[in-house]
Amino acid sequence: MKRVFDLTVSLLLLIVLSPVMGVTALCVRKYLGSPVLFRQCRPGLHMRPFHILKFRTMTDKRDENGSLLSDSERLTSFGAFLRKTSLDELPQLINVIKGEMSLVGPRPLLLRYLPFYTETEKKRFLVRPGITGLAQISGRNRLTWDERLHLDVKYVERQSLALDLTIMWKSVIQVLERDGFEEVTERQLPDLDVERLTIPSSVALSGGITVNGTR
């Protein structure tokens, strides 16, 4: 039922929002350049990798050595607008139609984070990743990693159509109110792998795996 719901709603949204996506793509091309879409490999259902799709929000500005500048330096005002309105997430409807994502589920994180989940946190991979999820309506960027991952597992254990509808409705309200958004999150929260290699966390407390001799 969840897959049928995802497919039906995503197809309808893609049709209804196609003019918005078309205009957004043209604006991204004009203000940020090509490629219009940002593609990145992420772990999905059962940790199988797939390429997530988003409208790009940052430029390719580099320093004198050819290295990309920081996110804060590459994020433009237009890119920030796309993030605030969640317009950058709309191409993920294609991921849902392809069966790589769901409308609701744990957000797909970076591949390099895979060694740093506890066994309990790995339950997040028992369902398809989502465009929005329980963590996103419960504090979004204000949550710690432990809190986010706990909510991901809580969703997996309690998932239902009623819960999905509630999360989708609250996500729409959150976008309209611009609640919980941070233009650049790296200043508020370190990357998961960095945090768990340097700070004692639930990974160590729950018998997490050893990485490069560090538990």
Side-chain angles (χ1 to χ4, degrees):
M1 286 296 297
K2 181 177 175 67
R3 177 59 185 152
V4 172
F5 176 79
D6 282 342
L7 189 58
T8 302
V9 174
S10 295
L11 285 170
L12 289 174
L13 287 175
L14 199 59
I15 293 171
V16 172
L17 297 175
S18 57
V20 176
M21 294 178 67
V23 171
T24 302
L26 290 174
C27 291
V28 170
R29 176 66 179 84
K30 178 180 180 180
Y31 296 113
L32 298 174
S34 294
V36 170
L37 291 180
F38 169 77
R39 294 177 172 86
Q40 189 176 58
C41 196
R42 303 281 180 95
L45 180 65
H46 304 312
M47 299 187 187
R48 289 194 295 265
F50 74 99
H51 285 90
I52 193 172
L53 301 176
K54 296 185 179 183
F55 284 121
R56 69 182 298 179
T57 58
M58 295 188 289
T59 67
D60 289 325
K61 289 183 178 179
R62 298 174 182 270
D63 60 21
E64 61 275 7
N65 298 317
S67 301
L68 284 173
L69 297 177
S70 66
D71 288 359
S72 60
E73 293 174 292
R74 294 189 294 124
L75 182 67
T76 66
S77 57
F78 175 65
F81 168 77
L82 293 181
R83 293 189 183 186
K84 286 178 181 177
T85 57
S86 294
L87 288 172
D88 62 319
E89 308 282 358
L90 291 181
Q92 289 166 48
L93 291 171
I94 298 173
N95 290 122
V96 177
I97 291 171
K98 292 171 65 177
E100 298 166 333
M101 292 182 65
S102 176
L103 291 171
V104 180
R107 284 294 294 164
L109 302 176
L110 300 177
L111 278 173
R112 73 171 193 264
Y113 292 172
L114 287 178
F116 297 91
Y117 298 111
T118 67
E119 289 304 312
T120 297
E121 291 167 352
K122 289 178 182 178
K123 288 183 179 180
R124 71 194 312 276
F125 298 107
L126 296 177
V127 298
R128 289 182 177 87
I131 296 178
T132 188
L134 187 57
Q136 282 61 53
I137 66 165
S138 303
R140 207 170 179 178
N141 296 327
R142 292 189 291 263
L143 300 175
T144 66
W145 278 116
D146 286 352
E147 289 169 335
R148 291 187 193 188
L149 298 174
H150 170 75
L151 288 169
D152 287 343
V153 173
K154 183 178 178 180
Y155 170 78
V156 173
E157 295 174 342
R158 302 183 182 183
Q159 61 177 314
S160 67
L161 181 57
L163 180 57
D164 281 7
L165 291 172
T166 299
I167 292 173
M168 290 173 64
W169 172 249
K170 289 186 177 181
S171 296
V172 172
I173 299 300
Q174 189 178 70
V175 169
L176 293 176
E177 295 179 347
R178 312 283 177 85
D179 180 50
F181 171 79
E182 297 287 350
E183 290 186 3
V184 181
T185 60
E186 62 183 341
R187 289 172 294 184
Q188 284 75 37
L189 192 68
D191 289 343
L192 178 63
D193 51 347
V194 174
E195 177 180 292
R196 291 193 166 177
L197 277 174
T198 58
I199 303 174
S201 67
S202 59
V203 175
L205 294 174
S206 60
I209 64 173
T210 299
V211 181
N212 295 331
T214 304
R215 203 168 178 78

